[in-house]
């Protein structure tokens, strides 16, 4: 399973970014895909998850209302739309995948990408 994230960059506070995660090597249409982030010196934090066959989503309270997760099954890609970005959103954002047999809020994932850096300047 390969997960490749893209879209991270330097952005000013209040700006927007859309991250992408392209998946290969597994059945994408029956998976859970998640986004996590890790800031320097901090624990990895769950951000959002989506069940690719139903489109059901679960978003962390810390970003709810600003971040949206979506997927394109034909492209085997998951997106994280991030709006009204704040400096505290600065982190490496990682994509993860697993079989759909856990609750969406469960943070156990089997496969991980390398991450993409998002930096929000004030």
């Amino acid at each position: 399973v390969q997960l490749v994230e893209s879209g991270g960059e330097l952005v000013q506070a209040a700006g927007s970014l859309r991250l992408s995660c392209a998946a290969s090597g597994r059945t994408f249409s029956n998976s859970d895909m998640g986004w996590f982030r890790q800031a320097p010196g901090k624990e990895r934090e769950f951000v959002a998850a989506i069940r690719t066959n139903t489109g059901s989503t679960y978003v962390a309270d810390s970003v709810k209302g600003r971040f949206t997760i979506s997927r394109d099954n034909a492209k085997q890609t998951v997106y994280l739309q991030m709006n009204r970005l704040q400096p505290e959103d600065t982190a490496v954002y990682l994509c993860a995948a697993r079989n759909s047999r856990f609750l969406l809020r469960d943070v156990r994932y089997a496969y991980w990408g390398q991450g993409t850096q998002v930096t929000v300047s004030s």
Side-chain angles (χ1 to χ4, degrees):
V1 176
Q2 291 82 42
L3 302 172
V4 180
E5 303 96 332
S6 62
E9 62 182 68
L10 173 65
V11 63
Q12 288 190 330
S16 296
L17 279 177
R18 188 176 80 157
L19 305 183
S20 300
C21 172
S24 61
R26 65 174 283 114
T27 304
F28 182 84
S29 60
N30 192 31
S31 301
D32 291 346
M33 302 292 292
W35 284 101
F36 291 75
R37 65 185 182 183
Q38 188 161 21
K42 294 189 176 181
E43 297 282 322
R44 187 168 60 197
E45 176 189 13
F46 170 80
V47 176
I50 188 165
R51 185 147 294 164
T52 58
N53 59 352
T54 65
S56 298
T57 64
Y58 182 76
V59 180
D61 288 344
S62 59
V63 300
K64 194 171 292 182
R66 298 191 298 124
F67 290 13
T68 304
I69 187 170
S70 62
R71 93 294 193 203
D72 184 331
N73 286 354
K75 295 182 178 180
Q76 298 200 135
T77 300
V78 173
Y79 304 99
L80 185 68
Q81 178 66 43
M82 306 186 294
N83 298 326
R84 303 196 306 278
L85 283 160
Q86 303 164 6
E88 51 265 40
D89 295 316
T90 294
V92 174
Y93 283 72
L94 302 115
C95 177
R98 67 184 180 204
N99 292 327
S100 293
R101 57 183 179 184
F102 298 96
L103 295 176
L104 273 179
R105 63 176 179 266
D106 193 296
V107 297
R108 291 172 288 178
Y109 279 80
Y111 307 102
W112 293 85
Q114 293 297 308
T116 186
Q117 177 70 47
V118 172
T119 303
V120 184
S121 64
S122 57

